[in-house]
Amino acid sequence: MKRFAETSSDLVRSNLAWRGRTLLLLLPSLLIVVGLFGGGLILGLMQAAGYFPGSGAESFTLEHFKNVFIHPDFFSSLLLTFYVSATSTLLAVVFSLISALLVMSMLRRFNWLHLVMQIPLVVPHLLIATAILFLLSPTGFLSRLAHALQLIESPAGFPVLIHDPWLLGVILVYVWKEIPFLTLMLLSVLLNLDTRLLQVGKTLKANRWQRFRFIIFPSIFPSLSAGTLIVFAYSFGAFEVPYLLGQTYPMTLPVWAYRQYSDIDLMSRPEGIAAGLVIALVILLFVFIAYALVKKSASGRLPI
Amino acid sequence: MRILLIHLWVICLLGGAAHAQSGWTDIEKQAKGQTVNWFMWGGFPAANAYVNGYVAPEMKDRYDIEVRQIPVQDIAEVVSKLLIEKQAGIERGEVDLMWINGENFRTCKTYNLLYGPFAQKLPNRKYIDPNDSAVRFDFGEPVGGLESPWGSAQFVMIYDSLRTPQPPSSIDAFLTWIREHQNRFTYPAPPDFTGSVFIRHLFYHVAGVRQNWQQDVDQAAFERAESRLYELLRGLKPFLWRQGRTYPESPQKLMQMFADGQVDFAMSYHPADASRMMRDGLLPPGTRSFLFEIGTIANTHFVAIPFNARAKAAAMLVANFLLSPEAQLRKADIEVWGDLPVVDFDSLSASWRKRFTGLNRGKATLSAERLKQNQLPEPASDILIQLEKGWEREVLRK
């Protein structure tokens, strides 16, 4: 009895030591994340709360948040941003699922595919946006090609895909960029999947759909949902693509926040920061919901 | 008695002048070995090259002063930094010199963020016409020596002489042209700086008397003019590119659309922009620029020294050097920057004047004299803000 107590306290001690060492090893990156990100967030929060020393505005107030919420543009911008992120995320998820499954079955024969899939990951969004601009604008490459092939009468006859009311150009950039990201994420799970499960499925006469539904999907679900969340959060908070390819009005929430922040009147900055914090809050909310869903699915009850 | 008084007066004057002179030598002595952190907008390669490739080495050679350019995205960031430093009681800040004008200057002035009226003390001030309202006021705000001018910009319209041999030069004719050529014109969306100044030209057009919009603005008259302006712009929308449902977000984008042949006009607040872009092969060879008949809006850009600058003496020397004819000539050279000189040509010797007028300014750039003779002042910055907000409310969303 006594010996057992000793070993268990030893265990606790060594466990603590292990934890301590891990924490120490994590410290450099933690410091950066907490210091730079958290510090900036706190400074932003202070400014959004109206703490702007020297300008006569030094008391804390929720006025700026209220101004953001009652602004006539706020909800249309929020809806638009949600529409863009949801549409592009959904499209990216569907296509990446298909492409991951296709690539998995072909990878043995074409293993260079894996490398090719990684190329778009290193290309910045800004570059893709510019490329899309040159490809799809009314004087762009595709429009000229279509004109040269006499598919359209003049370059102006090309459908409006950039600066359009539906933000198709913006969605296209996100889809283009996120498919490889999600595909690679799914592939890493799929390639580690125990193939015997699929063989068992086959011997039990499960058809393709059933094998996907009951074997593949549950095993990729955690990484799929995490990936979906990352993609959604990114496109919800991204500024440069809608700024370059979107319409002047209505604009997405990040563009709107930037416009408030960069207003010529220094005193409208708190509103811009408040709008930025609202974006962060919305993203956090989604993370929370998604986390709850994934946890639920991990306990065996898929939410679908 | 009278002669005695005149004598006395002359002696006082001489004494004063000598005193001022010795003051400046003191400043030169103090400045030796100091480092000037010059905070400025870093988004303009030509300006960066001028500062780092010319001003900095010259200051090093002449006065042993180190000039360090600190590029910033927006000088308003520096203004809010100064505001916080003032509150925190920081006596020795990092900013020694800043490139500034307009609303940011007004904010600085309102919160006392600037070092006293240093601009009057600069010896090269003699090259500036003291009566020129373009250097006495900055967007309607009296400058009072708190900032020193170093260049000026003026709005120009850009066209392709092969496509549009006779550009409509009066605003009325221009508006008619837009209505007759559907889908061939647009402007950058305010609050973009260039789009916003285009709107101000139309404001002057409908508001008539333009001298009234710098100070003591009659609010009722302004509101009448404002609503007429929005009415005009709303009426123009169906004839604009994409029926005014969307606008390019920057003048660069408009230039690209102009180069692509999507629209027939571009515009710029930098008179030499078109020439420089044409030289780089970005614009068609027929590119030229023109001014509206009523003139176009010009503004002066300045340098200012913050209240807590560490190297005030050296910063003054830099500001002074920027006003010298050689620095101004270099800046006006299209190969360097092409910025409009701020010096008064009448104050220059004949040989300097000749060098300025003989400068190759590029085919698409109008002569400095022609530009200078057709300058309109910027309205007060209040008006600018109200017009930008009004445009969003009354034109963009309708």
Side-chain angles (χ1 to χ4, degrees):
Chain A
M1 195 63 206
K2 202 185 164 219
R3 247 184 92 196
F4 173 75
E6 259 171 33
T7 38
S8 95
S9 77
D10 276 357
L11 261 175
V12 169
R13 216 172 298 136
S14 74
N15 192 18
L16 271 178
W18 180 80
R19 278 192 183 182
R21 215 177 58 225
T22 319
L23 205 64
L24 205 68
L25 286 171
L26 279 175
L27 205 63
S29 51
L30 266 181
L31 271 181
I32 289 175
V33 171
V34 174
L36 291 184
F37 187 72
L41 212 60
I42 288 170
L43 282 180
L45 204 64
M46 276 165 70
Q47 284 203 26
Y51 186 71
F52 205 177
S55 65
E58 274 133 58
S59 56
F60 288 89
T61 165
L62 286 175
E63 188 75 11
H64 302 298
F65 285 96
K66 196 186 113 197
N67 287 347
V68 167
F69 285 120
I70 61 173
H71 197 284
D73 286 351
F74 176 73
F75 273 101
S76 59
S77 291
L78 183 70
L79 273 179
L80 186 75
T81 316
F82 186 78
Y83 151 75
V84 170
S85 324
T87 316
S88 56
T89 308
L90 196 72
L91 286 172
V93 165
V94 170
F95 284 110
S96 60
L97 256 178
I98 297 171
S99 75
L101 292 172
L102 277 177
V103 171
M104 186 179 66
S105 63
M106 295 197 297
L107 209 57
R108 244 163 255 118
R109 269 175 296 160
F110 311 99
N111 51 16
W112 47 266
L113 259 176
H114 203 251
L115 188 74
V116 171
M117 296 295 298
Q118 293 181 41
I119 294 173
L121 286 185
V122 295
V123 184
H125 278 82
L126 203 61
L127 206 64
I128 309 288
T130 318
I132 292 276
L133 198 65
F134 284 125
L135 267 182
L136 296 184
S137 80
T139 49
F141 180 75
L142 286 185
S143 143
R144 283 176 198 183
L145 192 72
H147 178 59
L149 295 175
Q150 294 182 331
L151 294 173
I152 48 176
E153 267 179 38
S154 79
F158 196 69
V160 175
L161 297 174
I162 306 291
H163 309 298
D164 57 308
W166 294 101
L167 279 91
L168 294 177
V170 180
I171 292 173
L172 200 66
V173 172
Y174 288 147
V175 173
W176 198 103
K177 182 82 177 120
E178 310 312 353
I179 287 177
F181 170 73
L182 284 174
T183 307
L184 279 175
M185 217 164 167
L186 295 178
L187 265 180
S188 66
V189 183
L190 285 175
L191 292 177
N192 290 320
L193 190 70
D194 192 344
T195 44
R196 284 175 302 179
L197 277 176
L198 291 173
Q199 284 160 9
V200 171
K202 265 187 195 165
T203 53
L204 291 176
K205 296 219 160 73
N207 62 23
R208 259 163 187 264
W209 164 247
Q210 285 166 326
R211 270 177 280 153
F212 172 75
R213 172 71 184 81
F214 294 105
I215 301 169
I216 296 180
F217 193 74
S219 44
I220 59 172
F221 182 73
S223 37
L224 181 66
S225 50
T228 308
L229 196 69
I230 293 172
V231 169
F232 182 85
Y234 181 85
S235 50
F236 197 88
F239 160 77
E240 70 272 40
V241 180
Y243 182 70
L244 274 179
L245 302 181
Q247 262 194 312
T248 311
Y249 183 84
M251 50 196 126
T252 66
L253 216 47
V255 179
W256 188 73
Y258 168 77
R259 287 278 294 276
Q260 299 289 315
Y261 183 76
S262 64
D263 196 288
I264 195 162
D265 177 12
L266 216 53
M267 293 305 138
S268 72
R269 283 192 168 201
E271 252 117 88
I273 301 172
L277 288 171
V278 169
I279 296 171
L281 208 69
V282 172
I283 292 173
L284 269 179
L285 197 73
F286 277 105
V287 172
F288 184 73
I289 293 173
Y291 184 70
L293 284 180
V294 172
K295 226 175 142 186
K296 223 175 172 185
S297 81
S299 64
R301 277 166 291 148
L302 270 180
I304 46 162
Chain B
M1 185 65 198
R2 223 167 99 187
I3 291 181
L4 192 73
L5 270 179
I6 290 175
H7 272 282
L8 264 177
W9 183 66
V10 168
I11 289 166
C12 283
L13 257 189
L14 280 175
H19 180 74
Q21 200 54 48
S22 83
W24 187 251
T25 349
D26 278 353
I27 288 171
E28 279 186 346
K29 254 185 238 150
Q30 269 179 45
K32 218 168 154 60
Q34 286 187 332
T35 298
V36 176
N37 291 323
W38 185 353
F39 282 64
M40 58 183 268
W41 180 51
F44 196 6
N48 296 347
Y50 173 71
V51 169
N52 292 316
Y54 174 68
V55 177
E58 288 288 324
M59 293 311 288
K60 185 83 197 160
D61 282 357
R62 290 172 191 226
Y63 309 103
D64 191 25
I65 291 173
E66 190 92 35
V67 174
R68 270 207 312 222
Q69 186 208 15
I70 318 281
V72 291
Q73 174 73 34
D74 184 346
I75 204 71
E77 290 163 23
V78 180
V79 175
S80 66
K81 177 185 160 76
L82 290 175
L83 203 62
I84 290 166
E85 285 182 356
K86 176 114 191 171
Q87 175 73 8
I90 294 172
E91 294 296 325
R92 288 164 62 80
E94 288 156 6
V95 190
D96 297 308
L97 195 66
M98 52 207 268
W99 183 11
I100 197 172
N101 77 345
E103 179 63 15
N104 289 313
F105 170 64
R106 204 172 70 139
T107 311
C108 283
K109 209 178 149 184
T110 317
Y111 299 110
N112 287 322
L113 301 177
L114 298 175
Y115 171 58
F118 75 96
Q120 260 84 340
K121 294 185 200 156
L122 307 178
N124 285 340
R125 185 81 187 173
K126 62 174 184 248
Y127 297 116
I128 303 294
D129 176 4
N131 300 318
D132 185 359
S133 68
V135 295
R136 281 173 55 224
F137 297 97
D138 184 355
F139 282 76
E141 188 69 34
V143 168
L146 291 169
E147 48 179 6
S148 171
W150 73 298
S152 95
Q154 186 169 357
F155 179 83
V156 291
M157 293 293 296
I158 296 164
Y159 69 106
D160 183 348
S161 56
L162 300 175
R163 243 189 284 163
T164 320
Q166 288 287 321
S169 63
S170 78
I171 290 190
D172 263 327
F174 191 72
L175 293 171
T176 312
W177 187 95
I178 296 171
R179 291 191 193 98
E180 283 169 359
H181 299 77
Q182 209 171 351
N183 220 13
R184 302 298 300 166
F185 175 78
T186 187
Y187 51 90
D192 170 78
F193 201 64
T194 309
S196 166
V197 74
F198 175 73
I199 299 293
R200 293 201 282 285
H201 285 93
L202 298 187
F203 172 74
Y204 280 165
H205 176 68
V206 298
V209 195
R210 56 183 201 249
Q211 273 75 18
N212 282 352
W213 308 110
Q214 271 74 51
Q215 281 176 313
D216 309 320
V217 173
D218 174 357
Q219 190 60 28
F222 170 69
E223 276 163 22
R224 276 197 303 278
E226 196 190 11
S227 61
R228 277 171 60 204
L229 170 70
Y230 302 144
E231 204 175 305
L232 168 76
L233 285 168
R234 277 196 299 266
L236 218 51
K237 266 175 100 167
F239 305 100
L240 295 181
W241 175 74
R242 297 247 178 118
Q243 288 76 53
R245 280 194 305 265
T246 187
Y247 299 81
E249 75 280 351
S250 64
Q252 288 79 12
K253 184 68 177 291
L254 180 63
M255 288 278 201
Q256 189 205 324
M257 289 167 61
F258 169 70
D260 277 349
Q262 281 195 69
V263 290
D264 289 326
F265 292 95
M267 53 190 79
S268 175
Y269 214 136
H270 303 282
D273 246 9
S275 291
R276 206 172 35 239
M277 289 180 73
M278 192 165 73
R279 188 194 62 193
D280 294 344
L282 298 169
L283 292 181
T287 304
R288 297 291 180 271
S289 54
F290 72 96
L291 303 173
F292 290 131
E293 266 165 22
I294 56 163
T296 60
I297 293 178
N299 80 42
T300 310
H301 47 101
F302 298 82
V303 286
I305 303 175
F307 70 100
N308 62 356
R310 269 184 278 201
K312 292 193 177 91
M316 281 169 73
L317 250 64
V318 175
N320 188 54
F321 175 69
L322 293 174
L323 287 177
S324 65
E326 56 259 64
Q328 289 282 314
L329 183 75
R330 182 73 166 227
K331 190 159 61 72
D333 190 340
I334 180 90
E335 296 293 329
V336 179
W337 175 350
D339 194 42
L340 277 180
V342 75
V343 290
D344 176 24
F345 288 170
D346 293 341
S347 72
L348 297 174
S349 66
S351 69
W352 271 113
R353 209 175 309 155
K354 223 174 135 192
R355 291 172 74 177
F356 271 100
T357 47
L359 212 56
N360 169 28
R361 297 183 52 79
K363 273 191 178 147
T365 321
L366 300 165
S367 74
E369 282 122 321
R370 180 156 161 63
L371 287 164
K372 232 177 153 82
Q373 280 158 14
N374 294 284
Q375 289 184 341
L376 300 175
E378 279 284 6
S381 46
D382 282 349
I383 287 194
L384 177 149
I385 293 171
Q386 290 188 58
L387 288 181
E388 285 178 358
K389 297 223 185 303
W391 181 83
E392 271 184 33
R393 195 181 57 239
E394 306 287 336
V395 183
L396 181 63
R397 292 195 203 131
K398 296 257 163 110

